[in-house]
């Protein structure tokens, strides 16, 4: 046992979280999102464009890299969540995964930066997604370890704002950094720094005894599934999260190509518009995210804020689909951000109240986090078909793509009311 960790006999959270914990966790999440979302939203599209021959080849390669990489994220998150629940290191249950994943993530991002082929980029992105999602699984699993249930809305709201801040921070960095290597390694280095600060300030639980039950192949496969019949509220929470996240994150990777194709912008101008759009989105999220969590706690309700958030996002996506100018794209992103901020502020708190097993907290949160990663895998796979269908109509490919995202977010807003155990 080290001085950094103290054994905890039971999984119950303390009466009150450590004062610095919400902000340290938010800092770690911010770093992770900068490292993951900067490539997803901006730099990966241009990296792939630099090493392919035609715009059509770049779009296909981008779908391959992001889609396969997201599958690795899909596996890593619940698997590492479950492994961290069983980790008996004197360094803590969660800390080894946080530190090791952050270091590996930086190295993988550096590989992408120097890669000269799509296949090497694909390899680096698969490793980066695995490592950084391992960090996310272990870090967010500390929430029920550290914070009592009735106070998780506030902490969730603070953490929730890190998603737009991560997008904005990444867009800012890319706007002022030239060269693929720095565009990938600087976000990775920032993630490593903030994750180290969180890891070494965390009063991590130490699992005093090794679990009696061996970690079998059946348990491994069980890391990625749950029984929606036995735990219907958990199932509806997963589906709601998946649908809303598809509308928010799943379709976002093609924004650089949307700007260059529809508005005929060059690379630097497109990056500038993306930065302004993310400033608008972050400003809206900064207003809605903390307020959403606090209001949810005071009302004692989770479902209504999630439904409201989804409807606001639908409005923004429709506006984006028919944007006549880059200025309207920026406005649309602001509206989407307003809804996303409210969603992120309550989503994690709602999720922790429907977990099936308190002994498998990280595993179950990892399964829920699959709903974050899966849209990033499915969206690139189906995007070519939807874009082609839209291009064959007067509507156009990208408008149809964003309208499809609006429909998925709308479905998520409606289905949240199938959750019965949470108001």
């Amino acid at each position: 046992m080290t001085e950094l960790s103290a054994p905890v006999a039971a999984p119950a959270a303390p009466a009150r979280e450590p004062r610095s914990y919400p902000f340290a966790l938010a800092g770690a999440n911010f770093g992770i999102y900068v490292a993951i979302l900067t490539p997803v939203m901006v730099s990966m599209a241009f990296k792939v464009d630099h090493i392919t021959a035609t715009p059509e080849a770049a779009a296909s390669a981008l779908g391959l890299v992001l889609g396969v990489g997201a599958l690795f994220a899909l596996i890593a998150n619940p698997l590492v969540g479950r492994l961290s629940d069983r980790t008996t290191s004197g360094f803590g249950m969660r800390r080894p995964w946080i530190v090791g994943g952050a270091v590996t993530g930086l190295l993988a991002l550096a590989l992408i930066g120097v890669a000269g082929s799509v296949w090497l980029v694909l390899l680096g992105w698969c490793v980066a997604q695995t490592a950084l999602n391992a960090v996310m699984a272990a870090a967010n699993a500390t929430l029920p370890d550290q914070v009592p249930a009735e106070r998780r809305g506030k902490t969730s709201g603070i953490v929730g704002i890190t998603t737009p801040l991560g997008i904005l921070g990444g867009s800012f960095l890319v706007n002022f950094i030239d060269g693929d290597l720095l565009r990938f390694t600087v976000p990775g280095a920032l993630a490593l720094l903030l994750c180290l600060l969180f890891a070494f300030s965390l009063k991590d639980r130490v699992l005093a005894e090794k679990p009696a039950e061996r970690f079998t192949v059946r348990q491994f496969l069980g890391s990625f599934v749950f029984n929606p019949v036995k735990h219907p509220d958990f199932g509806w929470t997963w589906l709601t999260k998946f649908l809303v996240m598809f509308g928010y994150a799943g379709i976002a990777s093609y924004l650089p190509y949307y700007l260059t194709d529809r508005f005929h912008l060059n690379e630097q101008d497109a990056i500038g518009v993306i930065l302004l759009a993310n400033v608008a989105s972050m400003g809206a999220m900064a207003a809605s995210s903390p307020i959403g969590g606090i209001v949810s706690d005071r009302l004692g309700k989770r479902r209504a804020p999630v439904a409201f958030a989804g409807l606001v996002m639908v409005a923004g996506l429709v506006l984006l689909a028919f944007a006549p100018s880059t200025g309207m794209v920026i406005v649309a992103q602001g509206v989407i951000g307003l809804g996303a901020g409210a969603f992120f502020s309550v989503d994690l708190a709602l999720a922790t109240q429907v977990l099936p097993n308190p002994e498998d907290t990280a595993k179950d949160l990892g399964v829920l986090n699959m709903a974050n990663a899966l849209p990033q895998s499915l969206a690139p796979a189906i995007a070519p078909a939807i874009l082609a269908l839209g291009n064959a109509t007067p509507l156009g490919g990208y408008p149809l793509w964003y309208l499809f995202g609006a429909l998925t977010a709308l479905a998520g807003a409606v289905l949240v009311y199938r959750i019965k155990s949470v108001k």
Side-chain angles (χ1 to χ4, degrees):
M1 186 184 305
T2 71
E3 293 183 355
L4 292 169
S5 305
V8 178
R16 187 180 181 93
E17 71 277 5
R19 183 174 299 179
S20 64
Y21 170 80
F23 302 99
L25 177 61
N29 272 269
F30 170 74
I32 296 167
Y33 282 125
V34 168
I36 293 177
L37 294 180
T38 302
V40 170
M41 299 296 226
V42 188
S43 56
M44 188 66 78
F46 293 122
K47 171 67 182 182
V48 170
D49 188 57
H50 296 160
I51 58 176
T52 52
T54 66
E56 292 75 17
S60 297
L62 179 65
L64 173 68
V65 170
L66 295 183
V68 176
L71 287 177
F72 278 77
L74 191 70
I75 295 171
N77 213 302
L79 176 60
V80 172
R82 185 155 220 181
L83 291 174
S84 77
D85 281 336
R86 302 172 58 88
T87 297
T88 57
S89 167
F91 201 45
M93 294 176 65
R94 320 298 185 190
R95 190 181 288 116
W97 300 99
I98 296 170
V99 175
V103 171
T104 304
L106 172 59
L107 296 176
L109 290 170
L111 175 63
I112 298 171
V114 300
S117 71
V118 171
W119 296 110
L120 199 55
V121 170
L122 175 62
L123 173 63
W125 187 236
C126 289
V127 175
Q129 281 278 40
T130 301
L132 294 171
N133 274 273
V135 178
M136 184 179 298
N140 287 337
T142 64
L143 179 63
D145 291 345
Q146 304 287 329
V147 185
E150 67 274 10
R151 294 179 58 84
R152 289 175 193 166
K154 179 180 178 181
T155 301
S156 180
I158 295 172
V159 173
I161 200 173
T162 62
T163 301
L165 286 175
I167 295 172
L168 178 61
S171 300
F172 181 85
L173 289 174
V174 171
N175 193 57
F176 293 100
I177 293 177
D178 290 326
D180 289 329
L181 179 60
L182 288 178
R183 285 179 177 177
F184 284 90
T185 56
V186 172
L190 178 62
L192 175 60
L193 173 62
L194 292 174
C195 287
L196 290 176
L197 290 174
F198 172 65
F200 288 100
S201 67
L202 176 68
K203 295 180 180 179
D204 198 7
R205 291 175 55 201
V206 170
L207 194 61
E209 297 182 4
K210 186 177 181 179
E213 187 179 5
R214 295 181 61 187
F215 190 59
T216 63
V217 174
R218 182 177 180 180
Q219 286 183 318
F220 170 77
L221 297 175
S223 299
F224 313 106
V225 298
F226 61 93
N227 188 336
V229 176
K230 187 177 180 180
H231 305 288
D233 282 352
F234 188 74
W236 288 117
T237 300
W238 192 97
L239 184 58
T240 294
K241 188 181 185 74
F242 168 80
L243 292 169
V244 174
M245 288 304 297
F246 190 102
Y248 176 70
I251 66 169
S253 301
Y254 284 84
L255 183 60
Y257 294 158
Y258 175 46
L259 293 172
T260 56
D261 177 78
R262 178 163 180 152
F263 302 106
H264 308 293
L265 303 181
N266 59 38
E267 180 177 313
Q268 193 57 45
D269 288 341
I271 291 174
V273 172
I274 292 170
L275 174 59
L276 292 176
N278 288 333
V279 168
S281 179
M282 193 282 293
M285 284 188 174
S288 65
S289 187
I291 294 174
I294 294 171
V295 169
S296 176
D297 279 349
R298 290 184 178 179
L299 294 177
K301 295 183 179 181
R302 308 297 189 199
R303 296 182 303 175
V306 169
F308 173 78
L311 293 176
V312 173
M313 292 172 63
V314 168
L317 287 164
V318 172
L319 186 60
L320 181 61
F322 297 105
S325 65
T326 56
M328 192 57 67
V329 169
I330 295 170
V331 172
Q333 289 289 87
V335 175
I336 295 170
L338 188 68
F343 175 79
F344 292 132
S345 69
V346 185
D347 170 62
L348 186 56
L350 186 154
T352 61
Q353 292 180 232
V354 297
L355 298 180
N357 186 356
E359 298 296 334
D360 280 331
T361 294
K363 175 261 183 183
D364 292 331
L365 285 175
V367 170
L368 280 174
N369 282 331
M370 291 168 62
N372 288 334
L374 191 57
Q376 298 175 42
S377 180
L378 291 180
I382 66 176
I386 294 177
L387 291 173
L389 178 63
N391 286 329
T393 69
L395 185 62
Y398 288 107
L400 183 62
W401 180 235
Y402 290 119
L403 287 176
F404 182 76
L407 287 174
T408 63
L410 177 61
V414 172
L415 291 177
V416 71
Y417 280 98
R418 296 302 300 268
I419 301 169
K420 303 300 182 183
S421 64
V422 180
K423 292 183 180 180

